[in-house]
DNA sequence: CCTGCTACCTGATGGC
DNA sequence: TGCCATCAGGTAGCAG
Protein backbone atom coordinates (compact mmCIF):
# COMPACT_ATOMS: atom_id res chain seq x y z
CA UNK A 1 0.00 0.00 0.00
CA UNK A 2 1.44 2.87 -1.28
CA UNK A 3 1.14 6.55 -0.63
CA UNK A 4 0.52 8.69 2.42
CA UNK A 5 -3.30 8.54 2.58
CA UNK A 6 -3.31 4.76 2.46
CA UNK A 7 -0.60 4.48 5.13
CA UNK A 8 -2.42 7.02 7.32
CA UNK A 9 -5.65 4.99 7.05
CA UNK A 10 -3.71 1.88 8.06
CA UNK A 11 -2.15 3.69 11.02
CA UNK A 12 -5.54 4.83 12.31
CA UNK A 13 -7.04 1.38 11.96
CA UNK A 14 -4.02 -0.24 13.59
CA UNK A 15 -3.89 1.91 16.73
CA UNK A 16 -6.85 0.43 18.61
CA UNK A 17 -5.64 -3.07 17.75
CA UNK A 18 -2.08 -2.85 19.05
CA UNK A 19 -1.46 0.16 21.26
CA UNK A 20 -0.65 -0.82 24.86
CA UNK A 21 -0.35 -4.47 23.79
CA UNK A 22 2.77 -6.49 24.50
CA UNK A 23 4.68 -8.36 21.80
CA UNK A 24 5.14 -11.87 23.15
CA UNK A 25 6.84 -13.34 20.11
CA UNK A 26 8.05 -12.30 16.65
CA UNK A 27 7.95 -14.86 13.83
CA UNK A 28 10.10 -14.07 10.81
CA UNK A 29 8.62 -16.39 8.20
CA UNK A 30 10.48 -14.91 5.26
CA UNK A 31 13.83 -13.39 6.19
CA UNK A 32 14.01 -11.23 3.07
CA UNK A 33 11.64 -8.80 4.79
CA UNK A 34 14.31 -7.84 7.34
CA UNK A 35 17.21 -7.68 4.87
CA UNK A 36 19.86 -6.37 5.29
CA UNK A 37 19.13 -6.59 9.01
CA UNK A 38 19.03 -10.03 10.59
CA UNK A 39 15.80 -11.64 11.77
CA UNK A 40 17.30 -12.02 15.23
CA UNK A 41 17.93 -8.28 15.45
CA UNK A 42 14.21 -7.74 14.99
CA UNK A 43 13.15 -10.43 17.44
CA UNK A 44 15.66 -9.28 20.07
CA UNK A 45 14.49 -5.69 19.78
CA UNK A 46 10.76 -6.37 19.83
CA UNK A 47 10.05 -9.45 21.92
CA UNK A 48 8.70 -8.75 25.37
CA UNK A 49 8.14 -5.07 24.66
CA UNK A 50 4.95 -3.13 24.91
CA UNK A 51 3.78 -1.14 21.88
CA UNK A 52 3.37 2.39 23.16
CA UNK A 53 2.09 3.98 19.99
CA UNK A 54 1.75 3.64 16.23
CA UNK A 55 3.42 6.48 14.37
CA UNK A 56 3.66 7.56 10.75
CA UNK A 57 5.69 9.98 8.70
CA UNK A 58 5.41 10.02 4.93
CA UNK A 59 4.95 6.41 3.87
CA UNK A 60 6.81 5.05 6.91
CA UNK A 61 4.83 3.45 9.71
CA UNK A 62 6.44 2.42 12.97
CA UNK A 63 5.66 0.83 16.29
CA UNK A 64 7.07 2.88 19.15
CA UNK A 65 8.21 0.38 21.77
CA UNK A 66 9.23 1.03 25.36
CA UNK A 67 12.79 0.70 24.10
CA UNK A 68 13.30 0.93 20.36
CA UNK A 69 11.09 1.04 17.30
CA UNK A 70 9.95 -1.33 14.56
CA UNK A 71 9.48 0.29 11.16
CA UNK A 72 7.11 -1.06 8.53
CA UNK A 73 7.39 0.00 4.91
CA UNK A 74 4.87 -1.46 2.49
CA UNK A 75 6.58 -0.41 -0.74
CA UNK A 76 4.20 -1.32 -3.57
CA UNK A 77 2.14 -4.23 -2.35
CA UNK A 78 2.75 -4.82 1.36
CA UNK A 79 -0.23 -5.04 3.68
CA UNK A 80 -1.24 -5.90 7.23
CA UNK A 81 -3.35 -8.89 8.16
CA UNK A 82 -4.83 -9.57 11.59
CA UNK A 83 -5.21 -13.07 12.98
CA UNK A 84 -7.08 -14.03 16.14
CA UNK A 85 -4.30 -16.42 17.21
CA UNK A 86 -0.91 -17.77 16.19
CA UNK A 87 -2.52 -21.09 15.35
CA UNK A 88 -4.93 -19.43 12.91
CA UNK A 89 -2.04 -17.51 11.40
CA UNK A 90 0.05 -20.64 10.83
CA UNK A 91 -3.01 -22.46 9.46
CA UNK A 92 -3.50 -20.03 6.59
CA UNK A 93 -0.21 -18.18 6.11
CA UNK A 94 2.08 -19.30 3.34
CA UNK A 95 -0.02 -22.32 2.44
CA UNK A 96 -0.09 -23.22 -1.23
CA UNK A 97 -3.83 -22.78 -1.57
CA UNK A 98 -4.37 -19.75 0.71
CA UNK A 99 -2.55 -17.06 -1.28
CA UNK A 100 -1.81 -15.34 2.03
CA UNK A 101 1.86 -14.51 2.19
CA UNK A 102 3.02 -13.44 5.64
CA UNK A 103 6.66 -12.40 5.93
CA UNK A 104 6.69 -11.31 9.58
CA UNK A 105 4.16 -11.93 12.36
CA UNK A 106 3.97 -10.13 15.70
CA UNK A 107 2.27 -12.28 18.28
CA UNK A 108 0.62 -10.01 20.86
CA UNK A 109 -0.98 -10.79 24.20
CA UNK A 110 -4.19 -10.75 22.21
CA UNK A 111 -4.11 -11.40 18.47
CA UNK A 112 -1.38 -11.55 15.84
CA UNK A 113 -0.32 -8.80 13.45
CA UNK A 114 1.01 -10.07 10.14
CA UNK A 115 3.11 -8.11 7.67
CA UNK A 116 2.33 -9.62 4.28
CA UNK A 117 3.92 -9.01 0.90
CA UNK A 118 3.91 -11.68 -1.78
CA UNK A 119 6.30 -9.63 -3.82
CA UNK A 120 8.80 -9.23 -0.97
CA UNK A 121 9.56 -5.57 -1.54
CA UNK A 122 8.23 -4.48 1.83
CA UNK A 123 10.56 -4.23 4.81
CA UNK A 124 10.39 -4.58 8.59
CA UNK A 125 13.32 -3.09 10.49
CA UNK A 126 14.26 -2.57 14.12
CA UNK A 127 16.17 0.41 15.56
CA UNK A 128 17.04 1.53 19.05
CA UNK A 129 15.22 4.80 18.47
CA UNK A 130 13.50 6.90 15.84
CA UNK A 131 16.66 9.00 15.52
CA UNK A 132 18.66 5.87 14.72
CA UNK A 133 16.59 5.17 11.60
CA UNK A 134 18.28 7.04 8.73
CA UNK A 135 15.31 6.71 6.40
CA UNK A 136 12.99 8.43 8.88
CA UNK A 137 15.41 11.16 9.90
CA UNK A 138 15.98 12.05 6.26
CA UNK A 139 12.30 12.43 5.42
CA UNK A 140 11.14 15.88 4.41
CA UNK A 141 8.03 17.57 5.76
CA UNK A 142 5.01 15.29 6.01
CA UNK A 143 2.47 16.53 3.49
CA UNK A 144 -0.55 16.24 5.78
CA UNK A 145 1.13 17.80 8.81
CA UNK A 146 0.58 21.42 9.88
CA UNK A 147 4.24 22.03 9.02
CA UNK A 148 3.44 21.67 5.34
CA UNK A 149 2.78 25.35 4.81
CA UNK A 150 2.69 27.36 1.59
CA UNK A 151 5.73 29.38 2.58
CA UNK A 152 7.81 26.33 3.51
CA UNK A 153 6.77 24.60 0.29
CA UNK A 154 7.62 27.68 -1.80
CA UNK A 155 11.09 27.80 -0.24
CA UNK A 156 11.65 24.15 -1.05
CA UNK A 157 10.55 24.67 -4.64
CA UNK A 158 12.85 27.65 -5.05
CA UNK A 159 15.82 25.64 -3.81
CA UNK A 160 15.66 22.96 -6.51
CA UNK A 161 15.97 22.90 -10.29
CA UNK A 162 14.47 19.46 -10.81
CA UNK A 163 11.34 18.79 -12.82
CA UNK A 164 8.23 19.15 -10.63
CA UNK A 165 7.27 15.50 -10.86
CA UNK A 166 10.67 14.27 -9.72
CA UNK A 167 10.76 16.81 -6.92
CA UNK A 168 7.40 15.64 -5.58
CA UNK A 169 8.60 12.03 -5.55
CA UNK A 170 11.73 12.91 -3.54
CA UNK A 171 10.80 11.87 0.00
CA UNK A 172 13.65 13.92 1.49
CA UNK A 173 11.95 17.14 0.34
CA UNK A 174 8.29 16.45 0.96
CA UNK A 175 7.25 13.10 2.38
CA UNK A 176 4.26 11.00 1.41
CA UNK A 177 3.54 11.76 -2.22
CA UNK A 178 3.97 8.92 -4.71
CA UNK A 179 3.43 8.37 -8.39
CA UNK A 180 -0.37 8.54 -8.40
CA UNK A 181 -0.90 11.60 -6.23
CA UNK A 182 1.97 13.55 -7.80
CA UNK A 183 0.28 13.16 -11.20
CA UNK A 184 -3.08 14.06 -9.70
CA UNK A 185 -1.76 17.13 -7.86
CA UNK A 186 0.00 18.49 -10.94
CA UNK A 187 -3.13 18.01 -13.02
CA UNK A 188 -5.28 19.85 -10.49
CA UNK A 189 -2.70 22.65 -10.29
CA UNK A 190 -2.57 22.82 -14.11
CA UNK A 191 1.22 22.57 -14.05
CA UNK A 192 3.43 20.73 -16.51
CA UNK A 193 5.29 17.89 -14.68
CA UNK A 194 8.44 18.77 -16.64
CA UNK A 195 8.60 22.36 -15.36
CA UNK A 196 11.61 23.18 -13.19
CA UNK A 197 10.59 23.76 -9.58
CA UNK A 198 12.46 27.05 -9.33
CA UNK A 199 10.59 28.39 -12.36
CA UNK A 200 7.26 28.59 -10.54
CA UNK A 201 5.66 31.95 -9.87
CA UNK A 202 4.37 32.43 -6.31
CA UNK A 203 0.80 32.02 -7.51
CA UNK A 204 1.71 28.68 -9.12
CA UNK A 205 3.45 27.44 -5.98
CA UNK A 206 0.31 28.29 -4.01
CA UNK A 207 -1.83 26.45 -6.54
CA UNK A 208 0.34 23.35 -6.31
CA UNK A 209 0.32 23.42 -2.51
CA UNK A 210 -3.44 23.72 -2.47
CA UNK A 211 -3.78 20.89 -5.00
CA UNK A 212 -1.57 18.56 -2.95
CA UNK A 213 -3.48 19.27 0.25
CA UNK A 214 -6.87 18.69 -1.35
CA UNK A 215 -5.84 15.61 -3.34
CA UNK A 216 -4.40 13.94 -0.24
CA UNK A 217 -7.40 14.91 1.91
CA UNK A 218 -9.84 13.49 -0.61
CA UNK A 219 -7.80 10.31 -0.95
CA UNK A 220 -7.66 9.89 2.84
CA UNK A 221 -11.44 10.27 3.08
CA UNK A 222 -11.77 7.60 0.42
CA UNK A 223 -9.36 5.28 2.27
CA UNK A 224 -11.34 5.66 5.50
CA UNK A 225 -14.74 4.89 3.95
CA UNK A 226 -14.78 2.03 4.39
CA UNK A 227 -11.68 1.68 6.57
CA UNK A 228 -9.24 -1.19 6.03
CA UNK A 229 -10.33 -4.54 7.48
CA UNK A 230 -7.16 -6.39 8.40
CA UNK A 231 -9.12 -9.52 9.34
CA UNK A 232 -9.88 -10.07 5.67
CA UNK A 233 -6.65 -11.16 3.94
CA UNK A 234 -8.12 -9.90 0.68
CA UNK A 235 -8.76 -6.39 1.96
CA UNK A 236 -7.61 -3.48 -0.12
CA UNK A 237 -8.59 0.13 -0.66
CA UNK A 238 -11.74 0.44 -2.73
CA UNK A 239 -12.96 3.16 -5.02
CA UNK A 240 -9.74 5.13 -5.43
CA UNK A 241 -10.21 5.06 -9.23
CA UNK A 242 -13.30 7.20 -8.75
CA UNK A 243 -11.31 10.14 -7.40
CA UNK A 244 -8.47 9.91 -9.93
CA UNK A 245 -8.63 12.49 -12.74
CA UNK A 246 -5.52 11.74 -14.79
CA UNK A 247 -3.53 8.78 -13.47
CA UNK A 248 -3.56 5.74 -15.77
CA UNK A 249 -5.66 7.56 -18.38
CA UNK A 250 -3.14 7.54 -21.25
CA UNK A 251 -4.75 8.49 -24.60
CA UNK A 252 -8.12 9.13 -22.93
CA UNK A 253 -9.61 12.63 -23.10
CA UNK A 254 -8.56 15.11 -20.44
CA UNK A 255 -11.44 15.61 -18.02
CA UNK A 256 -10.89 19.36 -18.19
CA UNK A 257 -10.19 20.17 -21.85
CA UNK A 258 -10.82 16.94 -23.78
CA UNK A 259 -7.37 16.64 -25.32
CA UNK A 260 -5.69 13.22 -25.03
CA UNK A 261 -3.75 12.50 -21.83
CA UNK A 262 -0.07 11.83 -22.47
CA UNK A 263 2.11 9.28 -20.77
CA UNK A 264 5.82 9.98 -20.46
CA UNK A 265 8.65 8.54 -18.39
CA UNK A 266 10.19 10.59 -15.59
CA UNK A 267 12.65 9.23 -13.06
CA UNK A 268 11.87 5.77 -14.40
CA UNK A 269 8.15 6.09 -13.62
CA UNK A 270 5.09 6.83 -15.73
CA UNK A 271 3.81 10.39 -15.67
CA UNK A 272 0.27 11.09 -16.93
CA UNK A 273 -0.59 14.66 -17.82
CA UNK A 274 -2.41 16.89 -20.25
CA UNK A 275 0.05 18.90 -22.32
CA UNK A 276 -2.77 21.21 -23.40
CA UNK A 277 -3.96 22.50 -20.04
CA UNK A 278 -0.95 21.79 -17.81
CA UNK A 279 1.57 24.56 -18.48
C1' DC B 1 26.40 17.78 -2.49
C1' DC B 2 23.14 16.53 -6.55
C1' DT B 3 21.16 13.50 -10.01
C1' DG B 4 20.20 9.46 -12.75
C1' DC B 5 20.12 4.65 -13.21
C1' DT B 6 19.58 -0.13 -11.67
C1' DA B 7 18.31 -3.76 -8.71
C1' DC B 8 15.15 -5.75 -5.85
C1' DC B 9 10.59 -9.40 -6.46
C1' DT B 10 6.19 -11.43 -8.20
C1' DG B 11 2.05 -11.41 -10.83
C1' DA B 12 -1.12 -9.53 -14.23
C1' DT B 13 -1.85 -8.32 -18.85
C1' DG B 14 -1.56 -8.01 -23.78
C1' DG B 15 0.49 -9.03 -28.37
C1' DC B 16 2.01 -12.60 -31.39
C1' DT C 1 -2.56 -22.24 -25.26
C1' DG C 2 1.96 -20.69 -24.56
C1' DC C 3 5.59 -17.53 -24.56
C1' DC C 4 7.68 -13.16 -24.16
C1' DA C 5 7.78 -8.32 -23.07
C1' DT C 6 6.06 -4.81 -20.33
C1' DC C 7 4.13 -2.80 -16.46
C1' DA C 8 2.94 -2.01 -11.34
C1' DG C 9 0.77 2.84 -5.82
C1' DG C 10 8.75 2.49 -3.87
C1' DT C 11 13.27 3.16 -2.39
C1' DA C 12 18.28 1.95 -1.45
C1' DG C 13 22.60 1.98 -3.32
C1' DC C 14 25.93 3.30 -6.29
C1' DA C 15 28.43 5.80 -10.11
C1' DG C 16 29.53 9.97 -12.20
Amino acid sequence: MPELPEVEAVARTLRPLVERRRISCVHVLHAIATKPQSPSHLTRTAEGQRIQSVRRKGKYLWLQLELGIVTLHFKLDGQLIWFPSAKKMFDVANQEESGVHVDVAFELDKGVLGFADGRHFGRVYAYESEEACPAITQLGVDTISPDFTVSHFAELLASSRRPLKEFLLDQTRVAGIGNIYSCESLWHARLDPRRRTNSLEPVEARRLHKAIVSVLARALECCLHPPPDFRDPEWWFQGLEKILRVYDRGEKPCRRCGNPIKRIAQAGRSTYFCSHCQK
Side-chain angles (χ1 to χ4, degrees):
Chain A
M1 148 188 15
E3 307 183 30
L4 185 153
E6 290 84 354
V7 182
E8 174 64 13
V10 166
R12 293 189 191 187
T13 306
L14 187 58
R15 285 188 182 110
L17 287 173
V18 306
E19 281 183 348
R20 309 308 302 158
R21 293 269 163 76
R22 193 174 293 281
I23 298 171
S24 55
C25 185
V26 179
H27 305 273
V28 179
L29 306 181
H30 204 127
I32 193 173
T34 65
K35 241 174 117 178
Q37 293 186 350
S38 68
S40 62
H41 180 245
L42 173 63
T43 50
R44 268 186 278 117
T45 303
E47 282 182 350
Q49 298 240 18
R50 198 181 289 280
I51 298 170
Q52 295 188 316
S53 59
V54 173
R55 307 195 51 204
R56 180 199 62 75
K57 183 169 184 183
K59 303 169 201 171
Y60 275 83
L61 190 68
W62 67 97
L63 310 176
Q64 179 66 55
L65 309 177
E66 293 157 301
L67 201 61
I69 69 170
V70 171
T71 67
L72 307 174
H73 199 297
F74 303 106
K75 294 287 177 80
L76 295 172
D77 294 333
Q79 67 177 125
L80 297 181
I81 307 180
W82 183 259
F83 302 93
S85 69
K87 180 178 185 318
K88 286 270 169 44
M89 189 271 292
F90 282 112
D91 280 350
V92 297
N94 309 334
Q95 301 300 310
E96 186 90 13
E97 59 292 3
S98 75
V100 178
H101 209 296
V102 176
D103 284 348
V104 179
F106 298 88
E107 201 175 334
L108 308 180
D109 38 25
K110 187 165 184 290
V112 176
L113 177 67
F115 180 93
D117 186 355
R119 196 175 173 183
H120 305 305
F121 267 17
R123 289 292 183 270
V124 179
Y125 294 141
Y127 298 94
E128 61 186 33
S129 68
E130 185 183 321
E131 294 72 30
C133 172
I136 291 178
T137 61
Q138 285 164 29
L139 288 174
V141 58
D142 184 89
T143 35
I144 62 168
S145 83
D147 297 335
F148 183 59
T149 61
V150 180
S151 59
H152 186 196
F153 186 53
E155 278 173 30
L156 292 171
L157 290 169
S159 71
S160 169
R161 288 164 305 287
R162 304 182 80 176
L164 284 173
K165 173 72 179 326
E166 295 179 24
F167 173 88
L168 293 179
L169 292 179
D170 182 350
Q171 304 297 303
T172 69
R173 303 307 190 96
V174 290
I177 302 171
N179 205 34
I180 290 184
Y181 300 130
S182 59
C183 290
E184 292 295 311
S185 300
L186 289 164
W187 183 87
H188 282 278
R190 307 192 308 281
L191 291 170
D192 189 317
R194 301 165 296 187
R195 279 275 295 278
R196 303 271 159 183
T197 55
N198 61 353
S199 78
L200 292 201
E201 301 296 330
V203 64
E204 294 175 318
R206 279 199 294 279
R207 230 160 59 208
L208 183 52
H209 179 270
K210 189 176 174 182
I212 290 168
V213 168
S214 68
V215 162
L216 295 181
R218 201 171 323 132
L220 177 57
E221 277 308 298
C222 188
C223 290
L224 293 171
H225 303 286
D229 179 4
F230 303 148
R231 293 164 304 177
D232 174 8
E234 304 282 295
W235 81 268
W236 200 247
F237 297 101
Q238 302 299 316
L240 282 173
E241 339 61 68
K242 291 197 307 263
I243 64 173
L244 302 184
R245 304 284 89 188
V246 68
Y247 182 78
D248 203 20
R249 299 196 69 246
E251 302 308 316
K252 293 182 182 151
C254 173
R255 299 198 129 110
R256 195 162 39 215
C257 74
N259 284 282
I261 297 298
K262 286 190 175 155
R263 183 178 120 179
I264 61 172
Q266 287 183 291
R269 326 284 309 276
S270 288
T271 295
Y272 298 88
F273 74 112
C274 173
S275 61
H276 184 257
C277 63
Q278 290 179 249
K279 296 297 184 190

